[in-house]
Amino acid sequence: GAGVSQSPSNKVTEKGKDVELRCDPISGHTALYWYRQSLGQGLEFLIYFQGNSAPDKSGLPSDRFSAERTGGSVSTLTIQRTQQEDSAVYLCASSLLDTQYFGPGTRLTVL
Amino acid sequence: AQSVSQHNHHVILSEAASLELGCNYSYGGTVNLFWYVQYPGQHLQLLLKYFSGDPLVKGIKGFEAEFIKSKFSFNLRKPSVQWSDTAEYFCAVNSYSGGYQKVTFGTGTKLQVIP
């Protein structure tokens, strides 16, 4: 079946602009995660949605970052007033139990 | 706080050499342990996982990992690496507290296998 998809695959933006990154999880997966992968930094957890529970936002680095998950499926990660240090690959993963299935990521470049 | 340490950031091996990548975690409760792999240009994917039972788990492509509870370790091993094993390897820990799942990844180890 279809895996996790993310769009866009690449996004170049200017400092100060807002960006929206989209994640389509595997159908039926109740959990959805966002991570940030920077060079030499590994995977940085950002936010986690589980079913209808309140999301775990403990990994969001600042209030410029927010995410929502509509209808328990598609999720959007929004970064407001982007900064150069936001440049990274943003990964989305979904899971039904414990194993996470990752999307291809969105490479964000802030000029 | 939960944390995962991968001590080797970059490992270079010749083909047929043996591999062991270290992973240590800190958490006092019950955990599930994972190794994920990211081949060049591909998605992160599961290599193997430990939930309970036999602490020696086998994954795809001849990889195995041993959970040693007393050492809080989950090292990844392969007796004889191939050029196609060139990838970045991530150790991860899941724990549960108060109904919430907490996932923590290590910083990753880049493995380069020289033909």
mmCIF file with all atom_site columns, all heavy atoms in Angstrom, chain A residues 33 35 37 42-43 48 54 98-100 102 104, chain B residues 32 36 38 43 49 51 94 96 100-101 103 105 107:
data_model
loop_
_atom_site.group_PDB
_atom_site.id
_atom_site.type_symbol
_atom_site.label_atom_id
_atom_site.label_alt_id
_atom_site.label_comp_id
_atom_site.label_asym_id
_atom_site.label_entity_id
_atom_site.label_seq_id
_atom_site.pdbx_PDB_ins_code
_atom_site.Cartn_x
_atom_site.Cartn_y
_atom_site.Cartn_z
_atom_site.occupancy
_atom_site.B_iso_or_equiv
_atom_site.pdbx_formal_charge
_atom_site.auth_seq_id
_atom_site.auth_comp_id
_atom_site.auth_asym_id
_atom_site.auth_atom_id
_atom_site.pdbx_PDB_model_num
ATOM 1   N N   . TYR A 1 33  ? 4.103  11.654 13.825 1.00 0.00 ? 33  TYR A N   1
ATOM 2   C CA  . TYR A 1 33  ? 5.245  12.343 14.429 1.00 0.00 ? 33  TYR A CA  1
ATOM 3   C C   . TYR A 1 33  ? 5.866  13.300 13.410 1.00 0.00 ? 33  TYR A C   1
ATOM 4   O O   . TYR A 1 33  ? 5.921  12.999 12.224 1.00 0.00 ? 33  TYR A O   1
ATOM 5   C CB  . TYR A 1 33  ? 6.341  11.347 14.823 1.00 0.00 ? 33  TYR A CB  1
ATOM 6   C CG  . TYR A 1 33  ? 5.900  10.152 15.619 1.00 0.00 ? 33  TYR A CG  1
ATOM 7   C CD1 . TYR A 1 33  ? 5.261  9.091  14.997 1.00 0.00 ? 33  TYR A CD1 1
ATOM 8   C CD2 . TYR A 1 33  ? 6.163  10.065 16.983 1.00 0.00 ? 33  TYR A CD2 1
ATOM 9   C CE1 . TYR A 1 33  ? 4.873  7.965  15.724 1.00 0.00 ? 33  TYR A CE1 1
ATOM 10  C CE2 . TYR A 1 33  ? 5.791  8.954  17.714 1.00 0.00 ? 33  TYR A CE2 1
ATOM 11  C CZ  . TYR A 1 33  ? 5.138  7.906  17.074 1.00 0.00 ? 33  TYR A CZ  1
ATOM 12  O OH  . TYR A 1 33  ? 4.764  6.804  17.794 1.00 0.00 ? 33  TYR A OH  1
ATOM 13  N N   . TYR A 1 35  ? 9.636  15.265 12.903 1.00 0.00 ? 35  TYR A N   1
ATOM 14  C CA  . TYR A 1 35  ? 11.012 15.381 13.341 1.00 0.00 ? 35  TYR A CA  1
ATOM 15  C C   . TYR A 1 35  ? 11.733 16.382 12.443 1.00 0.00 ? 35  TYR A C   1
ATOM 16  O O   . TYR A 1 35  ? 11.321 16.653 11.318 1.00 0.00 ? 35  TYR A O   1
ATOM 17  C CB  . TYR A 1 35  ? 11.754 14.036 13.217 1.00 0.00 ? 35  TYR A CB  1
ATOM 18  C CG  . TYR A 1 35  ? 11.232 12.920 14.065 1.00 0.00 ? 35  TYR A CG  1
ATOM 19  C CD1 . TYR A 1 35  ? 10.255 12.056 13.576 1.00 0.00 ? 35  TYR A CD1 1
ATOM 20  C CD2 . TYR A 1 35  ? 11.716 12.711 15.350 1.00 0.00 ? 35  TYR A CD2 1
ATOM 21  C CE1 . TYR A 1 35  ? 9.775  11.007 14.349 1.00 0.00 ? 35  TYR A CE1 1
ATOM 22  C CE2 . TYR A 1 35  ? 11.249 11.658 16.132 1.00 0.00 ? 35  TYR A CE2 1
ATOM 23  C CZ  . TYR A 1 35  ? 10.279 10.822 15.626 1.00 0.00 ? 35  TYR A CZ  1
ATOM 24  O OH  . TYR A 1 35  ? 9.808  9.786  16.391 1.00 0.00 ? 35  TYR A OH  1
ATOM 25  N N   . GLN A 1 37  ? 15.645 16.965 10.929 1.00 0.00 ? 37  GLN A N   1
ATOM 26  C CA  . GLN A 1 37  ? 16.954 16.333 10.751 1.00 0.00 ? 37  GLN A CA  1
ATOM 27  C C   . GLN A 1 37  ? 17.907 17.371 10.195 1.00 0.00 ? 37  GLN A C   1
ATOM 28  O O   . GLN A 1 37  ? 17.777 17.803 9.052  1.00 0.00 ? 37  GLN A O   1
ATOM 29  C CB  . GLN A 1 37  ? 16.844 15.123 9.813  1.00 0.00 ? 37  GLN A CB  1
ATOM 30  C CG  . GLN A 1 37  ? 18.110 14.305 9.706  1.00 0.00 ? 37  GLN A CG  1
ATOM 31  C CD  . GLN A 1 37  ? 17.927 13.047 8.852  1.00 0.00 ? 37  GLN A CD  1
ATOM 32  O OE1 . GLN A 1 37  ? 17.053 12.979 8.005  1.00 0.00 ? 37  GLN A OE1 1
ATOM 33  N NE2 . GLN A 1 37  ? 18.761 12.041 9.088  1.00 0.00 ? 37  GLN A NE2 1
ATOM 34  N N   . GLY A 1 42  ? 21.286 14.631 14.074 1.00 0.00 ? 42  GLY A N   1
ATOM 35  C CA  . GLY A 1 42  ? 20.404 13.479 14.210 1.00 0.00 ? 42  GLY A CA  1
ATOM 36  C C   . GLY A 1 42  ? 18.952 13.875 14.022 1.00 0.00 ? 42  GLY A C   1
ATOM 37  O O   . GLY A 1 42  ? 18.641 14.866 13.368 1.00 0.00 ? 42  GLY A O   1
ATOM 38  N N   . LEU A 1 43  ? 18.067 13.088 14.620 1.00 0.00 ? 43  LEU A N   1
ATOM 39  C CA  . LEU A 1 43  ? 16.636 13.360 14.517 1.00 0.00 ? 43  LEU A CA  1
ATOM 40  C C   . LEU A 1 43  ? 16.164 14.078 15.766 1.00 0.00 ? 43  LEU A C   1
ATOM 41  O O   . LEU A 1 43  ? 16.285 13.558 16.867 1.00 0.00 ? 43  LEU A O   1
ATOM 42  C CB  . LEU A 1 43  ? 15.855 12.043 14.370 1.00 0.00 ? 43  LEU A CB  1
ATOM 43  C CG  . LEU A 1 43  ? 15.460 11.655 12.968 1.00 0.00 ? 43  LEU A CG  1
ATOM 44  C CD1 . LEU A 1 43  ? 16.671 11.270 12.187 1.00 0.00 ? 43  LEU A CD1 1
ATOM 45  C CD2 . LEU A 1 43  ? 14.444 10.530 12.992 1.00 0.00 ? 43  LEU A CD2 1
ATOM 46  N N   . TYR A 1 48  ? 4.072  15.123 18.439 1.00 0.00 ? 48  TYR A N   1
ATOM 47  C CA  . TYR A 1 48  ? 3.514  13.771 18.316 1.00 0.00 ? 48  TYR A CA  1
ATOM 48  C C   . TYR A 1 48  ? 2.015  13.844 18.524 1.00 0.00 ? 48  TYR A C   1
ATOM 49  O O   . TYR A 1 48  ? 1.545  14.420 19.521 1.00 0.00 ? 48  TYR A O   1
ATOM 50  C CB  . TYR A 1 48  ? 4.193  12.881 19.361 1.00 0.00 ? 48  TYR A CB  1
ATOM 51  C CG  . TYR A 1 48  ? 3.492  11.620 19.780 1.00 0.00 ? 48  TYR A CG  1
ATOM 52  C CD1 . TYR A 1 48  ? 3.096  10.669 18.855 1.00 0.00 ? 48  TYR A CD1 1
ATOM 53  C CD2 . TYR A 1 48  ? 3.271  11.354 21.128 1.00 0.00 ? 48  TYR A CD2 1
ATOM 54  C CE1 . TYR A 1 48  ? 2.484  9.496  19.257 1.00 0.00 ? 48  TYR A CE1 1
ATOM 55  C CE2 . TYR A 1 48  ? 2.657  10.177 21.535 1.00 0.00 ? 48  TYR A CE2 1
ATOM 56  C CZ  . TYR A 1 48  ? 2.271  9.250  20.600 1.00 0.00 ? 48  TYR A CZ  1
ATOM 57  O OH  . TYR A 1 48  ? 1.672  8.083  21.003 1.00 0.00 ? 48  TYR A OH  1
ATOM 58  N N   . ALA A 1 54  ? -4.602 15.054 23.206 1.00 0.00 ? 54  ALA A N   1
ATOM 59  C CA  . ALA A 1 54  ? -3.864 16.300 23.009 1.00 0.00 ? 54  ALA A CA  1
ATOM 60  C C   . ALA A 1 54  ? -2.454 15.976 22.546 1.00 0.00 ? 54  ALA A C   1
ATOM 61  O O   . ALA A 1 54  ? -1.815 15.055 23.063 1.00 0.00 ? 54  ALA A O   1
ATOM 62  C CB  . ALA A 1 54  ? -3.817 17.079 24.317 1.00 0.00 ? 54  ALA A CB  1
ATOM 63  N N   . ASP A 1 98  ? 4.126  0.389  17.514 1.00 0.00 ? 98  ASP A N   1
ATOM 64  C CA  . ASP A 1 98  ? 5.368  1.057  17.902 1.00 0.00 ? 98  ASP A CA  1
ATOM 65  C C   . ASP A 1 98  ? 6.301  1.374  16.745 1.00 0.00 ? 98  ASP A C   1
ATOM 66  O O   . ASP A 1 98  ? 7.108  2.277  16.841 1.00 0.00 ? 98  ASP A O   1
ATOM 67  C CB  . ASP A 1 98  ? 6.121  0.185  18.908 1.00 0.00 ? 98  ASP A CB  1
ATOM 68  C CG  . ASP A 1 98  ? 5.453  0.224  20.259 1.00 0.00 ? 98  ASP A CG  1
ATOM 69  O OD1 . ASP A 1 98  ? 5.762  1.148  21.031 1.00 0.00 ? 98  ASP A OD1 1
ATOM 70  O OD2 . ASP A 1 98  ? 4.615  -0.638 20.510 1.00 0.00 ? 98  ASP A OD2 1
ATOM 71  N N   . THR A 1 99  ? 6.211  0.614  15.671 1.00 0.00 ? 99  THR A N   1
ATOM 72  C CA  . THR A 1 99  ? 7.148  0.833  14.565 1.00 0.00 ? 99  THR A CA  1
ATOM 73  C C   . THR A 1 99  ? 6.705  2.042  13.760 1.00 0.00 ? 99  THR A C   1
ATOM 74  O O   . THR A 1 99  ? 5.553  2.155  13.345 1.00 0.00 ? 99  THR A O   1
ATOM 75  C CB  . THR A 1 99  ? 7.191  -0.403 13.657 1.00 0.00 ? 99  THR A CB  1
ATOM 76  O OG1 . THR A 1 99  ? 7.628  -1.530 14.427 1.00 0.00 ? 99  THR A OG1 1
ATOM 77  C CG2 . THR A 1 99  ? 8.131  -0.173 12.491 1.00 0.00 ? 99  THR A CG2 1
ATOM 78  N N   . GLN A 1 100 ? 7.653  2.956  13.537 1.00 0.00 ? 100 GLN A N   1
ATOM 79  C CA  . GLN A 1 100 ? 7.335  4.159  12.773 1.00 0.00 ? 100 GLN A CA  1
ATOM 80  C C   . GLN A 1 100 ? 7.705  3.971  11.309 1.00 0.00 ? 100 GLN A C   1
ATOM 81  O O   . GLN A 1 100 ? 8.738  3.385  10.996 1.00 0.00 ? 100 GLN A O   1
ATOM 82  C CB  . GLN A 1 100 ? 8.114  5.349  13.348 1.00 0.00 ? 100 GLN A CB  1
ATOM 83  C CG  . GLN A 1 100 ? 7.667  5.703  14.757 1.00 0.00 ? 100 GLN A CG  1
ATOM 84  C CD  . GLN A 1 100 ? 8.379  6.908  15.298 1.00 0.00 ? 100 GLN A CD  1
ATOM 85  O OE1 . GLN A 1 100 ? 8.493  7.926  14.626 1.00 0.00 ? 100 GLN A OE1 1
ATOM 86  N NE2 . GLN A 1 100 ? 8.869  6.806  16.516 1.00 0.00 ? 100 GLN A NE2 1
ATOM 87  N N   . PHE A 1 102 ? 8.457  6.167  7.981  1.00 0.00 ? 102 PHE A N   1
ATOM 88  C CA  . PHE A 1 102 ? 8.853  7.529  7.677  1.00 0.00 ? 102 PHE A CA  1
ATOM 89  C C   . PHE A 1 102 ? 8.532  7.916  6.243  1.00 0.00 ? 102 PHE A C   1
ATOM 90  O O   . PHE A 1 102 ? 8.578  7.097  5.323  1.00 0.00 ? 102 PHE A O   1
ATOM 91  C CB  . PHE A 1 102 ? 10.361 7.703  7.898  1.00 0.00 ? 102 PHE A CB  1
ATOM 92  C CG  . PHE A 1 102 ? 10.739 7.796  9.346  1.00 0.00 ? 102 PHE A CG  1
ATOM 93  C CD1 . PHE A 1 102 ? 10.910 6.651  10.109 1.00 0.00 ? 102 PHE A CD1 1
ATOM 94  C CD2 . PHE A 1 102 ? 10.902 9.034  9.954  1.00 0.00 ? 102 PHE A CD2 1
ATOM 95  C CE1 . PHE A 1 102 ? 11.251 6.730  11.444 1.00 0.00 ? 102 PHE A CE1 1
ATOM 96  C CE2 . PHE A 1 102 ? 11.241 9.127  11.292 1.00 0.00 ? 102 PHE A CE2 1
ATOM 97  C CZ  . PHE A 1 102 ? 11.414 7.972  12.045 1.00 0.00 ? 102 PHE A CZ  1
ATOM 98  N N   . PRO A 1 104 ? 9.477  10.696 2.981  1.00 0.00 ? 104 PRO A N   1
ATOM 99  C CA  . PRO A 1 104 ? 10.734 11.083 2.344  1.00 0.00 ? 104 PRO A CA  1
ATOM 100 C C   . PRO A 1 104 ? 11.290 12.402 2.863  1.00 0.00 ? 104 PRO A C   1
ATOM 101 O O   . PRO A 1 104 ? 12.443 12.731 2.612  1.00 0.00 ? 104 PRO A O   1
ATOM 102 C CB  . PRO A 1 104 ? 10.359 11.193 0.875  1.00 0.00 ? 104 PRO A CB  1
ATOM 103 C CG  . PRO A 1 104 ? 8.913  11.537 0.893  1.00 0.00 ? 104 PRO A CG  1
ATOM 104 C CD  . PRO A 1 104 ? 8.330  10.827 2.076  1.00 0.00 ? 104 PRO A CD  1
ATOM 105 N N   . ASN B 2 32  ? 10.923 0.062  24.760 1.00 0.00 ? 32  ASN B N   1
ATOM 106 C CA  . ASN B 2 32  ? 11.051 -0.687 23.516 1.00 0.00 ? 32  ASN B CA  1
ATOM 107 C C   . ASN B 2 32  ? 12.216 -0.052 22.751 1.00 0.00 ? 32  ASN B C   1
ATOM 108 O O   . ASN B 2 32  ? 12.365 1.174  22.761 1.00 0.00 ? 32  ASN B O   1
ATOM 109 C CB  . ASN B 2 32  ? 9.775  -0.605 22.678 1.00 0.00 ? 32  ASN B CB  1
ATOM 110 C CG  . ASN B 2 32  ? 8.602  -1.244 23.399 1.00 0.00 ? 32  ASN B CG  1
ATOM 111 O OD1 . ASN B 2 32  ? 8.758  -2.188 24.155 1.00 0.00 ? 32  ASN B OD1 1
ATOM 112 N ND2 . ASN B 2 32  ? 7.409  -0.727 23.138 1.00 0.00 ? 32  ASN B ND2 1
ATOM 113 N N   . TYR B 2 36  ? 16.951 1.999  13.346 1.00 0.00 ? 36  TYR B N   1
ATOM 114 C CA  . TYR B 2 36  ? 16.473 2.391  12.031 1.00 0.00 ? 36  TYR B CA  1
ATOM 115 C C   . TYR B 2 36  ? 17.689 2.653  11.150 1.00 0.00 ? 36  TYR B C   1
ATOM 116 O O   . TYR B 2 36  ? 18.765 3.029  11.634 1.00 0.00 ? 36  TYR B O   1
ATOM 117 C CB  . TYR B 2 36  ? 15.635 3.667  12.114 1.00 0.00 ? 36  TYR B CB  1
ATOM 118 C CG  . TYR B 2 36  ? 14.251 3.481  12.689 1.00 0.00 ? 36  TYR B CG  1
ATOM 119 C CD1 . TYR B 2 36  ? 14.048 3.522  14.072 1.00 0.00 ? 36  TYR B CD1 1
ATOM 120 C CD2 . TYR B 2 36  ? 13.147 3.275  11.864 1.00 0.00 ? 36  TYR B CD2 1
ATOM 121 C CE1 . TYR B 2 36  ? 12.773 3.360  14.601 1.00 0.00 ? 36  TYR B CE1 1
ATOM 122 C CE2 . TYR B 2 36  ? 11.870 3.114  12.396 1.00 0.00 ? 36  TYR B CE2 1
ATOM 123 C CZ  . TYR B 2 36  ? 11.702 3.159  13.759 1.00 0.00 ? 36  TYR B CZ  1
ATOM 124 O OH  . TYR B 2 36  ? 10.436 2.995  14.292 1.00 0.00 ? 36  TYR B OH  1
ATOM 125 N N   . GLN B 2 38  ? 19.003 4.523  7.341  1.00 0.00 ? 38  GLN B N   1
ATOM 126 C CA  . GLN B 2 38  ? 18.700 5.397  6.214  1.00 0.00 ? 38  GLN B CA  1
ATOM 127 C C   . GLN B 2 38  ? 19.784 5.213  5.168  1.00 0.00 ? 38  GLN B C   1
ATOM 128 O O   . GLN B 2 38  ? 20.917 5.689  5.344  1.00 0.00 ? 38  GLN B O   1
ATOM 129 C CB  . GLN B 2 38  ? 18.621 6.855  6.664  1.00 0.00 ? 38  GLN B CB  1
ATOM 130 C CG  . GLN B 2 38  ? 18.125 7.792  5.575  1.00 0.00 ? 38  GLN B CG  1
ATOM 131 C CD  . GLN B 2 38  ? 17.825 9.184  6.119  1.00 0.00 ? 38  GLN B CD  1
ATOM 132 O OE1 . GLN B 2 38  ? 18.412 9.637  7.087  1.00 0.00 ? 38  GLN B OE1 1
ATOM 133 N NE2 . GLN B 2 38  ? 16.893 9.869  5.488  1.00 0.00 ? 38  GLN B NE2 1
ATOM 134 N N   . HIS B 2 43  ? 14.294 6.613  2.401  1.00 0.00 ? 43  HIS B N   1
ATOM 135 C CA  . HIS B 2 43  ? 13.633 6.943  3.653  1.00 0.00 ? 43  HIS B CA  1
ATOM 136 C C   . HIS B 2 43  ? 14.299 6.200  4.813  1.00 0.00 ? 43  HIS B C   1
ATOM 137 O O   . HIS B 2 43  ? 14.912 5.153  4.616  1.00 0.00 ? 43  HIS B O   1
ATOM 138 C CB  . HIS B 2 43  ? 12.176 6.474  3.654  1.00 0.00 ? 43  HIS B CB  1
ATOM 139 C CG  . HIS B 2 43  ? 11.353 6.972  2.522  1.00 0.00 ? 43  HIS B CG  1
ATOM 140 N ND1 . HIS B 2 43  ? 9.998  6.733  2.426  1.00 0.00 ? 43  HIS B ND1 1
ATOM 141 C CD2 . HIS B 2 43  ? 11.666 7.693  1.437  1.00 0.00 ? 43  HIS B CD2 1
ATOM 142 C CE1 . HIS B 2 43  ? 9.541  7.277  1.335  1.00 0.00 ? 43  HIS B CE1 1
ATOM 143 N NE2 . HIS B 2 43  ? 10.519 7.852  0.704  1.00 0.00 ? 43  HIS B NE2 1
ATOM 144 N N   . LYS B 2 49  ? 13.883 -4.476 16.031 1.00 0.00 ? 49  LYS B N   1
ATOM 145 C CA  . LYS B 2 49  ? 13.281 -3.913 17.239 1.00 0.00 ? 49  LYS B CA  1
ATOM 146 C C   . LYS B 2 49  ? 13.260 -4.956 18.344 1.00 0.00 ? 49  LYS B C   1
ATOM 147 O O   . LYS B 2 49  ? 13.243 -6.158 18.084 1.00 0.00 ? 49  LYS B O   1
ATOM 148 C CB  . LYS B 2 49  ? 11.868 -3.423 16.959 1.00 0.00 ? 49  LYS B CB  1
ATOM 149 C CG  . LYS B 2 49  ? 10.918 -4.511 16.478 1.00 0.00 ? 49  LYS B CG  1
ATOM 150 C CD  . LYS B 2 49  ? 9.564  -3.916 16.092 1.00 0.00 ? 49  LYS B CD  1
ATOM 151 C CE  . LYS B 2 49  ? 8.636  -4.995 15.542 1.00 0.00 ? 49  LYS B CE  1
ATOM 152 N NZ  . LYS B 2 49  ? 7.345  -4.423 15.062 1.00 0.00 ? 49  LYS B NZ  1
ATOM 153 N N   . PHE B 2 51  ? 11.062 -5.716 21.923 1.00 0.00 ? 51  PHE B N   1
ATOM 154 C CA  . PHE B 2 51  ? 9.974  -5.371 22.830 1.00 0.00 ? 51  PHE B CA  1
ATOM 155 C C   . PHE B 2 51  ? 10.099 -6.177 24.118 1.00 0.00 ? 51  PHE B C   1
ATOM 156 O O   . PHE B 2 51  ? 10.012 -5.628 25.211 1.00 0.00 ? 51  PHE B O   1
ATOM 157 C CB  . PHE B 2 51  ? 8.614  -5.644 22.178 1.00 0.00 ? 51  PHE B CB  1
ATOM 158 C CG  . PHE B 2 51  ? 8.223  -4.634 21.128 1.00 0.00 ? 51  PHE B CG  1
ATOM 159 C CD1 . PHE B 2 51  ? 9.052  -3.585 20.783 1.00 0.00 ? 51  PHE B CD1 1
ATOM 160 C CD2 . PHE B 2 51  ? 7.000  -4.748 20.471 1.00 0.00 ? 51  PHE B CD2 1
ATOM 161 C CE1 . PHE B 2 51  ? 8.692  -2.662 19.809 1.00 0.00 ? 51  PHE B CE1 1
ATOM 162 C CE2 . PHE B 2 51  ? 6.633  -3.824 19.504 1.00 0.00 ? 51  PHE B CE2 1
ATOM 163 C CZ  . PHE B 2 51  ? 7.468  -2.784 19.173 1.00 0.00 ? 51  PHE B CZ  1
ATOM 164 N N   . ASN B 2 94  ? 11.519 3.877  22.825 1.00 0.00 ? 94  ASN B N   1
ATOM 165 C CA  . ASN B 2 94  ? 10.129 4.243  23.138 1.00 0.00 ? 94  ASN B CA  1
ATOM 166 C C   . ASN B 2 94  ? 9.870  3.931  24.590 1.00 0.00 ? 94  ASN B C   1
ATOM 167 O O   . ASN B 2 94  ? 10.221 2.845  25.056 1.00 0.00 ? 94  ASN B O   1
ATOM 168 C CB  . ASN B 2 94  ? 9.151  3.387  22.327 1.00 0.00 ? 94  ASN B CB  1
ATOM 169 C CG  . ASN B 2 94  ? 8.869  3.925  20.963 1.00 0.00 ? 94  ASN B CG  1
ATOM 170 O OD1 . ASN B 2 94  ? 9.688  4.636  20.414 1.00 0.00 ? 94  ASN B OD1 1
ATOM 171 N ND2 . ASN B 2 94  ? 7.744  3.572  20.401 1.00 0.00 ? 94  ASN B ND2 1
ATOM 172 N N   . TYR B 2 96  ? 6.720  4.600  27.822 1.00 0.00 ? 96  TYR B N   1
ATOM 173 C CA  . TYR B 2 96  ? 5.341  4.989  28.049 1.00 0.00 ? 96  TYR B CA  1
ATOM 174 C C   . TYR B 2 96  ? 5.206  5.485  29.483 1.00 0.00 ? 96  TYR B C   1
ATOM 175 O O   . TYR B 2 96  ? 5.664  4.861  30.420 1.00 0.00 ? 96  TYR B O   1
ATOM 176 C CB  . TYR B 2 96  ? 4.403  3.809  27.822 1.00 0.00 ? 96  TYR B CB  1
ATOM 177 C CG  . TYR B 2 96  ? 4.394  3.348  26.387 1.00 0.00 ? 96  TYR B CG  1
ATOM 178 C CD1 . TYR B 2 96  ? 5.331  2.431  25.941 1.00 0.00 ? 96  TYR B CD1 1
ATOM 179 C CD2 . TYR B 2 96  ? 3.479  3.857  25.482 1.00 0.00 ? 96  TYR B CD2 1
ATOM 180 C CE1 . TYR B 2 96  ? 5.350  2.026  24.620 1.00 0.00 ? 96  TYR B CE1 1
ATOM 181 C CE2 . TYR B 2 96  ? 3.479  3.448  24.159 1.00 0.00 ? 96  TYR B CE2 1
ATOM 182 C CZ  . TYR B 2 96  ? 4.425  2.542  23.733 1.00 0.00 ? 96  TYR B CZ  1
ATOM 183 O OH  . TYR B 2 96  ? 4.451  2.140  22.436 1.00 0.00 ? 96  TYR B OH  1
ATOM 184 N N   . TYR B 2 100 ? 1.168  8.435  27.670 1.00 0.00 ? 100 TYR B N   1
ATOM 185 C CA  . TYR B 2 100 ? 1.858  9.051  26.549 1.00 0.00 ? 100 TYR B CA  1
ATOM 186 C C   . TYR B 2 100 ? 3.072  8.221  26.163 1.00 0.00 ? 100 TYR B C   1
ATOM 187 O O   . TYR B 2 100 ? 3.759  7.656  27.010 1.00 0.00 ? 100 TYR B O   1
ATOM 188 C CB  . TYR B 2 100 ? 2.319  10.468 26.908 1.00 0.00 ? 100 TYR B CB  1
ATOM 189 C CG  . TYR B 2 100 ? 1.244  11.510 26.728 1.00 0.00 ? 100 TYR B CG  1
ATOM 190 C CD1 . TYR B 2 100 ? 0.425  11.856 27.795 1.00 0.00 ? 100 TYR B CD1 1
ATOM 191 C CD2 . TYR B 2 100 ? 1.052  12.140 25.505 1.00 0.00 ? 100 TYR B CD2 1
ATOM 192 C CE1 . TYR B 2 100 ? -0.559 12.812 27.643 1.00 0.00 ? 100 TYR B CE1 1
ATOM 193 C CE2 . TYR B 2 100 ? 0.070  13.100 25.347 1.00 0.00 ? 100 TYR B CE2 1
ATOM 194 C CZ  . TYR B 2 100 ? -0.733 13.432 26.421 1.00 0.00 ? 100 TYR B CZ  1
ATOM 195 O OH  . TYR B 2 100 ? -1.715 14.381 26.273 1.00 0.00 ? 100 TYR B OH  1
ATOM 196 N N   . GLN B 2 101 ? 3.322  8.208  24.872 1.00 0.00 ? 101 GLN B N   1
ATOM 197 C CA  . GLN B 2 101 ? 4.503  7.546  24.350 1.00 0.00 ? 101 GLN B CA  1
ATOM 198 C C   . GLN B 2 101 ? 5.597  8.597  24.162 1.00 0.00 ? 101 GLN B C   1
ATOM 199 O O   . GLN B 2 101 ? 5.332  9.679  23.647 1.00 0.00 ? 101 GLN B O   1
ATOM 200 C CB  . GLN B 2 101 ? 4.177  6.888  23.009 1.00 0.00 ? 101 GLN B CB  1
ATOM 201 C CG  . GLN B 2 101 ? 5.358  6.202  22.365 1.00 0.00 ? 101 GLN B CG  1
ATOM 202 C CD  . GLN B 2 101 ? 5.019  5.618  20.996 1.00 0.00 ? 101 GLN B CD  1
ATOM 203 O OE1 . GLN B 2 101 ? 5.762  4.833  20.463 1.00 0.00 ? 101 GLN B OE1 1
ATOM 204 N NE2 . GLN B 2 101 ? 3.902  6.003  20.426 1.00 0.00 ? 101 GLN B NE2 1
ATOM 205 N N   . VAL B 2 103 ? 9.289  9.135  22.422 1.00 0.00 ? 103 VAL B N   1
ATOM 206 C CA  . VAL B 2 103 ? 10.227 8.551  21.470 1.00 0.00 ? 103 VAL B CA  1
ATOM 207 C C   . VAL B 2 103 ? 11.478 9.414  21.438 1.00 0.00 ? 103 VAL B C   1
ATOM 208 O O   . VAL B 2 103 ? 11.392 10.627 21.284 1.00 0.00 ? 103 VAL B O   1
ATOM 209 C CB  . VAL B 2 103 ? 9.618  8.505  20.052 1.00 0.00 ? 103 VAL B CB  1
ATOM 210 C CG1 . VAL B 2 103 ? 10.593 7.863  19.088 1.00 0.00 ? 103 VAL B CG1 1
ATOM 211 C CG2 . VAL B 2 103 ? 8.299  7.756  20.074 1.00 0.00 ? 103 VAL B CG2 1
ATOM 212 N N   . PHE B 2 105 ? 15.402 9.538  19.621 1.00 0.00 ? 105 PHE B N   1
ATOM 213 C CA  . PHE B 2 105 ? 16.382 8.991  18.694 1.00 0.00 ? 105 PHE B CA  1
ATOM 214 C C   . PHE B 2 105 ? 17.780 9.435  19.099 1.00 0.00 ? 105 PHE B C   1
ATOM 215 O O   . PHE B 2 105 ? 17.976 10.530 19.648 1.00 0.00 ? 105 PHE B O   1
ATOM 216 C CB  . PHE B 2 105 ? 16.115 9.502  17.274 1.00 0.00 ? 105 PHE B CB  1
ATOM 217 C CG  . PHE B 2 105 ? 15.043 8.740  16.538 1.00 0.00 ? 105 PHE B CG  1
ATOM 218 C CD1 . PHE B 2 105 ? 13.700 8.998  16.778 1.00 0.00 ? 105 PHE B CD1 1
ATOM 219 C CD2 . PHE B 2 105 ? 15.374 7.777  15.606 1.00 0.00 ? 105 PHE B CD2 1
ATOM 220 C CE1 . PHE B 2 105 ? 12.715 8.298  16.103 1.00 0.00 ? 105 PHE B CE1 1
ATOM 221 C CE2 . PHE B 2 105 ? 14.393 7.071  14.927 1.00 0.00 ? 105 PHE B CE2 1
ATOM 222 C CZ  . PHE B 2 105 ? 13.062 7.331  15.173 1.00 0.00 ? 105 PHE B CZ  1
ATOM 223 N N   . THR B 2 107 ? 21.742 10.404 17.803 1.00 0.00 ? 107 THR B N   1
ATOM 224 C CA  . THR B 2 107 ? 22.198 11.339 16.781 1.00 0.00 ? 107 THR B CA  1
ATOM 225 C C   . THR B 2 107 ? 22.649 10.648 15.502 1.00 0.00 ? 107 THR B C   1
ATOM 226 O O   . THR B 2 107 ? 22.953 11.311 14.522 1.00 0.00 ? 107 THR B O   1
ATOM 227 C CB  . THR B 2 107 ? 23.348 12.216 17.301 1.00 0.00 ? 107 THR B CB  1
ATOM 228 O OG1 . THR B 2 107 ? 24.358 11.351 17.835 1.00 0.00 ? 107 THR B OG1 1
ATOM 229 C CG2 . THR B 2 107 ? 22.859 13.159 18.383 1.00 0.00 ? 107 THR B CG2 1
#
